[in-house]
Amino acid sequence: MLTGQKYDAICCSDDITALLVKQRVRQLSYQPLVTGFDGSNFVRNFFRTC
């Protein structure tokens, strides 16, 4: 699905999926906006330490 079209933005149902999608689109050499919506503890803690 990601290789067939170029998207301006991709909304994912959760943060972990968003991180995986972000990794994949980087491999495909384009950078759409990517977001997840569940606010998981992992993501909140990960980005707090960065």
Side-chain angles (χ1 to χ4, degrees):
M1 184 168 150
L2 292 173
T3 59
Q5 296 183 28
K6 301 285 184 176
Y7 298 96
D8 294 327
I10 300 171
C11 297
C12 301
S13 61
D14 60 81
D15 297 333
I16 301 301
T17 302
L19 290 172
L20 294 171
V21 169
K22 186 71 170 170
Q23 180 181 20
R24 181 67 179 132
V25 295
R26 281 186 185 157
Q27 293 170 349
L28 297 172
S29 299
Y30 80 102
Q31 298 294 314
L33 297 171
V34 178
T35 189
F37 282 99
D38 67 346
S40 67
N41 286 330
F42 167 74
V43 171
R44 282 186 276 152
N45 290 329
F46 178 77
F47 286 103
R48 186 177 301 149
T49 62
C50 290

